[in-house]
Amino acid sequence: MSTTTTNLESLIQLDQAHHMSTYGRLPVTFVKGKGTRLWDETGKEYLDLLSGIGVTNIGHCHPAVVEAVKNQVESLIHVSNLYYTKPQLELAKKITEISFGDKCFFANSGAEANEGAIKLARRYAKLNGKEEAFEIITALRSFHGRTMKTLAATGQPDKQKPFEPMPPGFKHVPLNDIDALKKEINEKTCAIMLEPIQGEGGVYPCDEEYLKEVRALCDEHNILLIFDEVQTGMGRTGTMFAYEGFGVTPDIMTLAKGIGSGLPIGVLVASEKASVFSPGEHGSTFGGGPVVCAAALATIKVIEDEGLLENCRNVGAYFRQKLEDIKANTDIVKEIRGRGLMLAVELAQNNAKDIVLALLKEGIVANNIGGNILRFLPPLCITEAEIDAATSVLARLLV
Ligand SMILES: *Cc1c(COP(=O)(O)O)cnc(C)c1O
Protein backbone atom coordinates (compact mmCIF):
# COMPACT_ATOMS: atom_id res chain seq x y z
CA MET A 1 0.00 0.00 0.00
CA SER A 2 1.41 3.41 -0.93
CA THR A 3 2.12 5.88 1.84
CA THR A 4 -0.31 8.41 0.36
CA THR A 5 -3.24 6.01 0.78
CA THR A 6 -5.36 6.99 3.74
CA ASN A 7 -5.70 4.22 6.20
CA LEU A 8 -8.72 4.05 8.44
CA GLU A 9 -6.81 2.68 11.42
CA SER A 10 -4.22 5.46 11.28
CA LEU A 11 -6.95 8.09 10.96
CA ILE A 12 -8.69 6.72 14.02
CA GLN A 13 -5.40 6.99 15.91
CA LEU A 14 -4.87 10.58 14.72
CA ASP A 15 -8.42 11.44 15.76
CA GLN A 16 -7.93 10.01 19.23
CA ALA A 17 -4.56 11.70 19.66
CA HIS A 18 -5.20 15.11 18.14
CA HIS A 19 -8.90 15.92 17.66
CA MET A 20 -11.25 16.76 20.50
CA SER A 21 -13.65 13.89 20.93
CA THR A 22 -16.77 15.84 20.01
CA TYR A 23 -18.10 13.41 17.40
CA GLY A 24 -19.32 9.85 17.67
CA ARG A 25 -17.70 8.85 14.39
CA LEU A 26 -18.52 5.77 12.35
CA PRO A 27 -15.68 3.47 11.23
CA VAL A 28 -15.27 4.65 7.65
CA THR A 29 -13.30 7.27 5.73
CA PHE A 30 -14.67 8.66 2.49
CA VAL A 31 -12.28 9.82 -0.20
CA LYS A 32 -14.56 10.54 -3.15
CA GLY A 33 -18.14 11.56 -3.91
CA LYS A 34 -20.21 11.88 -7.07
CA GLY A 35 -23.95 12.40 -7.24
CA THR A 36 -25.68 10.02 -4.82
CA ARG A 37 -22.50 7.94 -4.33
CA LEU A 38 -19.53 7.96 -1.98
CA TRP A 39 -16.38 5.83 -2.05
CA ASP A 40 -14.14 4.80 0.82
CA GLU A 41 -10.36 4.31 0.70
CA THR A 42 -10.69 0.69 -0.45
CA GLY A 43 -12.83 1.69 -3.42
CA LYS A 44 -16.04 0.36 -1.89
CA GLU A 45 -19.08 2.28 -3.16
CA TYR A 46 -21.86 3.61 -0.93
CA LEU A 47 -25.31 4.99 -1.64
CA ASP A 48 -25.63 8.21 0.34
CA LEU A 49 -28.98 8.62 2.12
CA LEU A 50 -27.70 11.43 4.34
CA SER A 51 -26.02 14.08 2.09
CA GLY A 52 -23.53 15.21 4.72
CA ILE A 53 -26.34 16.04 7.08
CA GLY A 54 -28.72 17.53 4.55
CA VAL A 55 -25.91 19.48 2.87
CA THR A 56 -25.12 17.95 -0.52
CA ASN A 57 -28.72 18.29 -1.69
CA ILE A 58 -27.82 18.34 -5.39
CA GLY A 59 -25.45 15.39 -5.02
CA HIS A 60 -21.72 15.25 -4.34
CA CYS A 61 -19.30 17.30 -6.44
CA HIS A 62 -21.90 18.48 -8.94
CA PRO A 63 -19.99 19.61 -12.07
CA ALA A 64 -21.76 23.00 -12.09
CA VAL A 65 -20.62 23.71 -8.52
CA VAL A 66 -17.11 22.39 -9.17
CA GLU A 67 -16.81 24.66 -12.20
CA ALA A 68 -18.23 27.74 -10.45
CA VAL A 69 -15.87 27.27 -7.50
CA LYS A 70 -12.83 26.61 -9.75
CA ASN A 71 -13.49 29.72 -11.81
CA GLN A 72 -13.98 31.88 -8.73
CA VAL A 73 -10.93 30.52 -6.90
CA GLU A 74 -8.79 31.35 -9.92
CA SER A 75 -9.91 34.98 -10.08
CA LEU A 76 -10.60 36.12 -6.50
CA ILE A 77 -10.90 34.19 -3.23
CA HIS A 78 -11.38 36.97 -0.71
CA VAL A 79 -11.81 40.66 -0.17
CA SER A 80 -13.36 42.35 2.83
CA ASN A 81 -17.05 43.18 3.10
CA LEU A 82 -15.86 46.79 2.99
CA TYR A 83 -16.07 46.29 -0.79
CA TYR A 84 -18.73 45.20 -3.27
CA THR A 85 -18.47 41.72 -4.77
CA LYS A 86 -20.66 40.38 -7.55
CA PRO A 87 -21.29 36.76 -6.43
CA GLN A 88 -22.53 37.98 -3.01
CA LEU A 89 -24.91 40.57 -4.39
CA GLU A 90 -26.18 38.31 -7.17
CA LEU A 91 -26.85 35.62 -4.56
CA ALA A 92 -28.71 38.10 -2.34
CA LYS A 93 -30.82 39.11 -5.35
CA LYS A 94 -31.52 35.47 -6.26
CA ILE A 95 -32.55 34.48 -2.72
CA THR A 96 -34.91 37.45 -2.42
CA GLU A 97 -36.41 36.61 -5.82
CA ILE A 98 -37.20 33.02 -4.89
CA SER A 99 -38.34 33.65 -1.29
CA PHE A 100 -40.51 36.03 0.76
CA GLY A 101 -37.34 37.85 1.80
CA ASP A 102 -36.38 41.39 0.79
CA LYS A 103 -32.88 41.49 2.29
CA CYS A 104 -30.10 38.96 3.07
CA PHE A 105 -27.06 38.88 5.31
CA PHE A 106 -24.38 36.24 4.82
CA ALA A 107 -22.77 34.28 7.66
CA ASN A 108 -20.68 31.10 7.71
CA SER A 109 -22.91 28.50 9.35
CA GLY A 110 -26.40 27.74 10.56
CA ALA A 111 -25.65 28.72 14.14
CA GLU A 112 -24.19 32.01 12.99
CA ALA A 113 -27.21 32.76 10.81
CA ASN A 114 -29.41 32.06 13.84
CA GLU A 115 -27.27 34.37 16.01
CA GLY A 116 -27.99 37.03 13.41
CA ALA A 117 -31.72 36.28 13.56
CA ILE A 118 -31.69 36.60 17.36
CA LYS A 119 -29.91 39.97 17.18
CA LEU A 120 -32.25 41.17 14.45
CA ALA A 121 -35.36 40.25 16.45
CA ARG A 122 -34.06 42.11 19.51
CA ARG A 123 -33.20 45.14 17.39
CA TYR A 124 -36.65 45.10 15.78
CA ALA A 125 -38.35 45.13 19.19
CA LYS A 126 -36.27 48.08 20.41
CA LEU A 127 -36.99 50.06 17.25
CA ASN A 128 -40.70 49.34 17.61
CA GLY A 129 -41.20 50.79 21.06
CA LYS A 130 -40.65 47.53 22.99
CA GLU A 131 -37.52 48.50 24.91
CA GLU A 132 -37.89 45.59 27.34
CA ALA A 133 -38.64 42.85 24.82
CA PHE A 134 -35.72 40.43 24.33
CA GLU A 135 -37.09 36.95 24.89
CA ILE A 136 -37.48 34.42 22.11
CA ILE A 137 -39.80 31.46 22.44
CA THR A 138 -38.61 28.24 20.81
CA ALA A 139 -39.81 24.65 20.87
CA LEU A 140 -38.76 21.78 23.08
CA ARG A 141 -36.68 19.26 21.11
CA SER A 142 -35.61 22.05 18.73
CA PHE A 143 -32.06 22.47 17.45
CA HIS A 144 -30.66 25.89 16.56
CA GLY A 145 -26.89 25.49 16.90
CA ARG A 146 -23.88 25.08 19.18
CA THR A 147 -22.87 28.66 20.00
CA MET A 148 -23.90 29.76 23.50
CA LYS A 149 -26.96 31.76 22.34
CA THR A 150 -28.15 29.19 19.85
CA LEU A 151 -27.54 26.47 22.43
CA ALA A 152 -29.75 28.43 24.82
CA ALA A 153 -32.33 28.61 22.03
CA THR A 154 -32.09 24.84 21.51
CA GLY A 155 -34.85 23.10 23.44
CA GLN A 156 -32.72 20.16 24.59
CA PRO A 157 -31.70 20.37 28.28
CA ASP A 158 -29.19 17.51 27.94
CA LYS A 159 -27.18 19.55 25.40
CA GLN A 160 -27.28 22.63 27.66
CA LYS A 161 -26.51 21.04 31.03
CA PRO A 162 -22.71 20.67 30.60
CA PHE A 163 -22.39 24.39 29.84
CA GLU A 164 -24.76 26.03 32.29
CA PRO A 165 -25.58 28.76 33.06
CA MET A 166 -27.23 29.45 29.71
CA PRO A 167 -27.43 33.06 28.49
CA PRO A 168 -30.88 34.43 29.33
CA GLY A 169 -33.64 35.22 26.87
CA PHE A 170 -35.11 31.90 25.74
CA LYS A 171 -38.25 30.01 26.70
CA HIS A 172 -39.18 26.58 25.44
CA VAL A 173 -42.65 25.21 24.77
CA PRO A 174 -43.94 21.85 23.55
CA LEU A 175 -44.33 21.78 19.76
CA ASN A 176 -47.82 21.97 18.22
CA ASP A 177 -49.44 23.13 21.49
CA ILE A 178 -50.81 26.60 20.77
CA ASP A 179 -52.14 27.15 24.30
CA ALA A 180 -48.73 26.44 25.83
CA LEU A 181 -47.26 29.03 23.46
CA LYS A 182 -49.93 31.65 24.23
CA LYS A 183 -49.16 31.35 27.94
CA GLU A 184 -45.51 32.27 27.42
CA ILE A 185 -46.07 35.39 25.28
CA ASN A 186 -45.77 38.62 27.26
CA GLU A 187 -44.30 42.14 27.02
CA LYS A 188 -40.79 40.62 27.11
CA THR A 189 -41.32 38.50 23.97
CA CYS A 190 -39.63 39.71 20.77
CA ALA A 191 -39.89 36.61 18.55
CA ILE A 192 -40.96 33.02 18.13
CA MET A 193 -38.40 30.76 16.45
CA LEU A 194 -39.34 27.38 15.00
CA GLU A 195 -38.07 24.75 12.61
CA PRO A 196 -40.99 23.89 10.27
CA ILE A 197 -39.80 20.31 10.73
CA GLN A 198 -37.51 19.65 13.68
CA GLY A 199 -34.45 17.93 12.23
CA GLU A 200 -31.88 17.07 14.88
CA GLY A 201 -34.65 16.55 17.43
CA GLY A 202 -35.95 13.53 15.50
CA VAL A 203 -37.85 14.78 12.42
CA TYR A 204 -41.00 16.14 14.03
CA PRO A 205 -43.07 18.34 11.68
CA CYS A 206 -45.11 21.33 12.85
CA ASP A 207 -48.85 21.02 12.20
CA GLU A 208 -49.92 23.43 9.44
CA GLU A 209 -52.79 24.67 11.58
CA TYR A 210 -50.40 25.33 14.49
CA LEU A 211 -48.07 27.39 12.29
CA LYS A 212 -51.02 29.43 11.00
CA GLU A 213 -52.07 30.19 14.58
CA VAL A 214 -48.47 31.07 15.51
CA ARG A 215 -48.35 33.48 12.55
CA ALA A 216 -51.60 35.11 13.73
CA LEU A 217 -50.27 35.42 17.30
CA CYS A 218 -47.09 37.09 16.05
CA ASP A 219 -49.13 39.59 14.02
CA GLU A 220 -51.45 40.28 16.93
CA HIS A 221 -48.55 41.01 19.32
CA ASN A 222 -46.19 42.60 16.73
CA ILE A 223 -43.49 40.03 17.40
CA LEU A 224 -41.38 38.40 14.70
CA LEU A 225 -41.76 34.87 13.39
CA ILE A 226 -38.40 33.25 12.67
CA PHE A 227 -38.18 29.99 10.75
CA ASP A 228 -34.92 28.12 11.16
CA GLU A 229 -34.76 26.50 7.72
CA VAL A 230 -31.12 25.53 8.05
CA GLN A 231 -32.11 21.89 7.46
CA THR A 232 -35.55 22.18 5.80
CA GLY A 233 -34.49 24.79 3.21
CA MET A 234 -33.04 24.34 -0.28
CA GLY A 235 -35.58 21.86 -1.57
CA ARG A 236 -35.26 19.31 1.21
CA THR A 237 -39.03 19.04 1.87
CA GLY A 238 -40.17 19.30 -1.78
CA THR A 239 -40.50 23.09 -2.05
CA MET A 240 -37.48 25.41 -2.18
CA PHE A 241 -38.26 26.43 1.41
CA ALA A 242 -40.45 24.47 3.80
CA TYR A 243 -42.54 27.54 4.69
CA GLU A 244 -44.05 27.45 1.18
CA GLY A 245 -45.28 23.91 1.70
CA PHE A 246 -46.79 24.82 5.07
CA GLY A 247 -48.48 27.93 3.66
CA VAL A 248 -47.10 30.18 6.41
CA THR A 249 -44.62 32.98 5.74
CA PRO A 250 -42.14 34.02 8.44
CA ASP A 251 -40.57 37.47 8.92
CA ILE A 252 -37.08 36.01 9.16
CA MET A 253 -35.64 32.76 7.79
CA THR A 254 -32.21 31.24 8.25
CA LEU A 255 -30.51 28.95 5.74
CA ALA A 256 -27.24 27.05 5.74
CA LYS A 257 -26.82 23.31 5.22
CA GLY A 258 -28.00 22.77 1.64
CA ILE A 259 -27.26 26.13 0.08
CA GLY A 260 -23.52 25.87 -0.58
CA SER A 261 -23.28 22.17 -1.51
CA GLY A 262 -20.75 21.71 1.28
CA LEU A 263 -19.00 25.06 1.33
CA PRO A 264 -19.61 26.92 4.61
CA ILE A 265 -22.36 29.50 4.22
CA GLY A 266 -25.27 30.65 6.37
CA VAL A 267 -27.91 33.13 5.30
CA LEU A 268 -30.15 35.43 7.29
CA VAL A 269 -33.17 36.34 5.15
CA ALA A 270 -35.70 38.95 6.28
CA SER A 271 -38.73 40.85 5.05
CA GLU A 272 -38.36 44.59 4.48
CA LYS A 273 -39.99 45.40 7.83
CA ALA A 274 -37.65 43.09 9.75
CA SER A 275 -34.45 44.19 7.95
CA VAL A 276 -33.53 46.73 10.62
CA PHE A 277 -29.74 46.42 11.02
CA SER A 278 -27.84 49.70 10.57
CA PRO A 279 -24.19 49.94 9.46
CA GLY A 280 -21.91 48.57 12.19
CA GLU A 281 -24.58 46.55 14.00
CA HIS A 282 -23.67 43.21 12.42
CA GLY A 283 -20.88 41.85 10.29
CA SER A 284 -18.58 39.00 9.34
CA THR A 285 -15.01 38.67 8.06
CA PHE A 286 -15.66 35.68 5.82
CA GLY A 287 -19.44 35.83 5.39
CA GLY A 288 -20.63 36.20 1.81
CA GLY A 289 -17.21 35.58 0.28
CA PRO A 290 -17.01 35.17 -3.49
CA VAL A 291 -16.23 31.43 -3.52
CA VAL A 292 -19.07 30.25 -1.26
CA CYS A 293 -21.51 32.59 -2.96
CA ALA A 294 -20.52 31.29 -6.40
CA ALA A 295 -21.13 27.76 -5.08
CA ALA A 296 -24.53 28.76 -3.71
CA LEU A 297 -25.61 30.46 -6.94
CA ALA A 298 -24.63 27.34 -8.88
CA THR A 299 -26.47 25.13 -6.36
CA ILE A 300 -29.73 27.08 -6.66
CA LYS A 301 -29.48 26.99 -10.46
CA VAL A 302 -29.06 23.20 -10.41
CA ILE A 303 -32.09 22.78 -8.12
CA GLU A 304 -34.13 24.82 -10.61
CA ASP A 305 -32.69 23.53 -13.91
CA GLU A 306 -32.70 19.85 -12.99
CA GLY A 307 -36.24 19.78 -11.60
CA LEU A 308 -35.00 18.65 -8.20
CA LEU A 309 -38.02 19.98 -6.29
CA GLU A 310 -40.34 17.84 -8.37
CA ASN A 311 -38.01 14.86 -8.05
CA CYS A 312 -37.89 15.40 -4.29
CA ARG A 313 -41.69 15.36 -4.06
CA ASN A 314 -42.06 12.30 -6.31
CA VAL A 315 -39.22 10.16 -5.00
CA GLY A 316 -39.95 11.39 -1.45
CA ALA A 317 -43.51 10.06 -1.74
CA TYR A 318 -42.16 6.83 -3.22
CA PHE A 319 -39.59 6.42 -0.42
CA ARG A 320 -42.24 7.11 2.19
CA GLN A 321 -44.55 4.47 0.70
CA LYS A 322 -41.70 1.93 0.75
CA LEU A 323 -41.10 2.73 4.41
CA GLU A 324 -44.83 2.40 5.14
CA ASP A 325 -44.74 -1.01 3.42
CA ILE A 326 -41.93 -2.09 5.74
CA LYS A 327 -43.88 -0.77 8.71
CA ALA A 328 -46.91 -2.82 7.67
CA ASN A 329 -44.78 -5.99 7.88
CA THR A 330 -43.10 -5.53 11.23
CA ASP A 331 -43.77 -4.46 14.80
CA ILE A 332 -40.28 -2.99 15.03
CA VAL A 333 -41.31 0.16 13.13
CA LYS A 334 -43.51 2.48 15.16
CA GLU A 335 -43.89 5.56 12.99
CA ILE A 336 -42.78 7.18 9.71
CA ARG A 337 -42.41 10.98 9.79
CA GLY A 338 -41.33 13.84 7.55
CA ARG A 339 -41.87 15.51 4.19
CA GLY A 340 -40.18 15.29 0.83
CA LEU A 341 -36.76 13.71 1.29
CA MET A 342 -36.53 14.49 5.01
CA LEU A 343 -37.81 11.24 6.49
CA ALA A 344 -37.50 9.35 9.74
CA VAL A 345 -38.39 5.88 10.91
CA GLU A 346 -39.08 5.57 14.60
CA LEU A 347 -38.30 2.12 15.94
CA ALA A 348 -39.98 0.36 18.83
CA GLN A 349 -36.58 -0.55 20.28
CA ASN A 350 -33.25 1.16 20.85
CA ASN A 351 -31.28 -0.43 18.01
CA ALA A 352 -31.14 2.43 15.52
CA LYS A 353 -27.34 2.69 15.81
CA ASP A 354 -26.97 -1.03 15.08
CA ILE A 355 -29.16 -0.64 12.00
CA VAL A 356 -27.06 2.32 10.80
CA LEU A 357 -23.86 0.26 11.21
CA ALA A 358 -25.44 -2.70 9.42
CA LEU A 359 -26.55 -0.40 6.57
CA LEU A 360 -23.01 0.99 6.32
CA LYS A 361 -21.64 -2.55 5.94
CA GLU A 362 -24.13 -3.00 3.09
CA GLY A 363 -22.90 0.21 1.45
CA ILE A 364 -25.70 2.53 2.56
CA VAL A 365 -25.11 5.75 4.48
CA ALA A 366 -27.89 6.75 6.91
CA ASN A 367 -28.12 8.27 10.37
CA ASN A 368 -29.63 7.56 13.75
CA ILE A 369 -31.01 10.14 16.15
CA GLY A 370 -30.80 8.85 19.68
CA GLY A 371 -31.44 5.16 20.16
CA ASN A 372 -34.65 4.67 18.26
CA ILE A 373 -34.86 6.99 15.23
CA LEU A 374 -33.43 6.40 11.75
CA ARG A 375 -33.08 9.56 9.65
CA PHE A 376 -32.84 9.79 5.86
CA LEU A 377 -31.81 12.96 4.01
CA PRO A 378 -30.77 11.66 0.57
CA PRO A 379 -29.64 13.91 -2.27
CA LEU A 380 -32.67 15.39 -4.04
CA CYS A 381 -31.53 13.77 -7.31
CA ILE A 382 -31.96 10.23 -5.95
CA THR A 383 -33.95 7.83 -8.15
CA GLU A 384 -36.74 5.36 -7.40
CA ALA A 385 -34.38 2.52 -8.40
CA GLU A 386 -31.91 3.66 -5.74
CA ILE A 387 -34.72 3.83 -3.18
CA ASP A 388 -35.73 0.28 -4.18
CA ALA A 389 -32.18 -0.92 -3.57
CA ALA A 390 -31.90 0.83 -0.21
CA THR A 391 -35.31 -0.13 1.12
CA SER A 392 -34.89 -3.79 0.21
CA VAL A 393 -31.77 -3.86 2.40
CA LEU A 394 -33.59 -1.96 5.13
CA ALA A 395 -36.52 -4.38 4.95
CA ARG A 396 -34.13 -7.31 5.34
CA LEU A 397 -32.61 -5.70 8.44
CA LEU A 398 -35.91 -4.70 10.03
CA VAL A 399 -38.48 -7.33 9.13
C1 LIG B 1 -27.61 21.99 11.58
C2 LIG B 1 -28.58 22.97 12.11
C3 LIG B 1 -28.16 24.17 12.72
C4 LIG B 1 -26.70 24.47 12.97
O1 LIG B 1 -25.99 24.66 11.79
P1 LIG B 1 -24.37 24.72 11.87
O2 LIG B 1 -23.98 25.06 10.46
O3 LIG B 1 -23.89 23.39 12.33
O4 LIG B 1 -24.03 25.80 12.83
C5 LIG B 1 -29.12 25.06 13.13
N1 LIG B 1 -30.43 24.81 12.94
C6 LIG B 1 -30.87 23.69 12.36
C7 LIG B 1 -32.33 23.48 12.18
C8 LIG B 1 -29.96 22.72 11.93
O5 LIG B 1 -30.41 21.58 11.39
Side-chain angles (χ1 to χ4, degrees):
M1 194 182 289
S2 89
T3 50
T4 53
T5 308
T6 50
N7 174 270
L8 181 59
E9 279 310 315
S10 72
L11 292 181
I12 291 171
Q13 278 169 19
L14 285 176
D15 185 49
Q16 285 170 356
H18 304 293
H19 192 278
M20 295 191 191
S21 57
T22 53
Y23 301 110
R25 300 197 212 255
L26 280 73
V28 62
T29 175
F30 293 116
V31 295
K32 185 175 144 76
K34 187 85 198 147
T36 58
R37 307 294 164 140
L38 285 165
W39 287 268
D40 72 13
E41 57 172 353
T42 70
K44 178 177 166 185
E45 183 177 314
Y46 297 78
L47 175 62
D48 188 359
L49 299 184
L50 193 56
S51 311
I53 297 182
V55 170
T56 53
N57 286 9
I58 64 171
H60 291 278
C61 297
H62 193 288
V65 173
V66 170
E67 199 195 313
V69 169
K70 269 189 182 164
N71 288 341
Q72 188 56 53
V73 161
E74 280 174 356
S75 53
L76 180 69
I77 295 176
H78 177 80
V79 286
S80 158
N81 277 311
L82 294 171
Y83 312 105
Y84 301 95
T85 49
K86 194 172 168 193
Q88 178 186 103
L89 300 171
E90 281 191 342
L91 179 60
K93 176 168 180 273
K94 182 68 190 176
I95 292 169
T96 58
E97 279 169 1
I98 60 172
S99 75
F100 73 93
D102 296 303
K103 298 281 169 66
C104 299
F105 174 87
F106 295 106
N108 306 288
S109 67
E112 224 188 287
N114 285 337
E115 286 277 342
I118 293 163
K119 283 176 72 176
L120 195 57
R122 288 191 178 194
R123 199 72 200 107
Y124 177 86
K126 282 196 203 303
L127 293 169
N128 282 272
K130 294 192 185 179
E131 229 2 91
E132 71 288 21
F134 69 98
E135 279 181 357
I136 297 181
I137 305 173
T138 76
L140 286 167
R141 237 173 17 208
S142 62
F143 183 82
H144 298 296
R146 301 284 191 169
T147 64
M148 283 307 292
K149 273 281 179 204
T150 57
L151 182 60
T154 291
Q156 300 189 44
D158 58 316
K159 287 197 165 63
Q160 299 174 337
K161 263 259 162 337
F163 307 102
E164 285 178 341
M166 285 293 113
F170 297 92
K171 284 181 174 172
H172 305 101
V173 294
L175 194 69
N176 291 328
D177 180 343
I178 197 72
D179 292 325
L181 180 63
K182 276 183 192 159
K183 277 192 203 125
E184 297 296 342
I185 297 176
N186 59 36
E187 70 289 343
K188 287 195 185 142
T189 312
C190 71
I192 295 167
M193 176 155 76
L194 295 169
E195 299 156 87
I197 302 175
Q198 293 184 330
E200 300 308 297
V203 188
Y204 292 95
C206 290
D207 297 334
E208 283 185 14
E209 204 41 47
Y210 174 73
L211 283 185
K212 291 192 171 113
E213 290 178 311
V214 174
R215 177 69 269 179
L217 276 175
C218 287
D219 293 340
E220 185 187 324
H221 295 273
N222 193 22
I223 57 185
L224 296 179
L225 180 57
I226 304 168
F227 281 173
D228 178 345
E229 292 229 29
V230 167
Q231 191 160 149
T232 56
M234 309 324 294
R236 177 54 53 198
T237 68
T239 49
M240 187 64 88
F241 308 105
Y243 78 83
E244 302 168 83
F246 284 82
V248 175
T249 305
D251 303 295
I252 298 173
M253 162 173 82
T254 53
L255 303 170
K257 291 193 163 84
I259 190 163
S261 288
L263 275 78
I265 172 169
V267 195
L268 173 60
V269 185
S271 66
E272 191 68 48
K273 99 169 175 182
S275 299
V276 295
F277 283 146
S278 304
E281 287 183 348
H282 201 46
S284 169
T285 297
F286 298 121
V291 180
V292 293
C293 288
L297 275 165
T299 300
I300 295 171
K301 191 165 183 322
V302 168
I303 294 175
E304 290 178 335
D305 292 354
E306 296 186 2
L308 294 187
L309 300 178
E310 195 189 356
N311 194 65
C312 175
R313 289 192 294 270
N314 293 341
V315 181
Y318 185 80
F319 193 2
R320 196 191 176 100
Q321 187 53 52
K322 289 275 163 179
L323 295 173
E324 293 288 355
D325 293 347
I326 294 174
K327 177 172 178 280
N329 287 311
T330 173
D331 293 335
I332 295 172
V333 175
K334 255 176 78 180
E335 191 176 44
I336 313 294
R337 291 191 294 270
R339 271 192 193 208
L341 286 168
M342 180 173 183
L343 294 169
V345 173
E346 183 164 329
L347 304 174
Q349 55 200 53
N350 276 328
N351 63 341
K353 182 76 187 277
D354 298 337
I355 302 287
V356 165
L357 286 168
L359 284 169
L360 195 65
K361 269 214 179 88
E362 303 265 0
I364 295 168
V365 176
N367 171 241
N368 64 294
I369 297 176
N372 65 338
I373 297 170
L374 295 171
R375 172 170 54 166
F376 302 105
L377 304 166
L380 309 182
C381 54
I382 197 164
T383 64
E384 290 186 359
E386 288 172 320
I387 296 297
D388 283 340
T391 48
S392 70
V393 174
L394 190 64
R396 179 151 50 74
L397 294 173
L398 288 176
V399 180

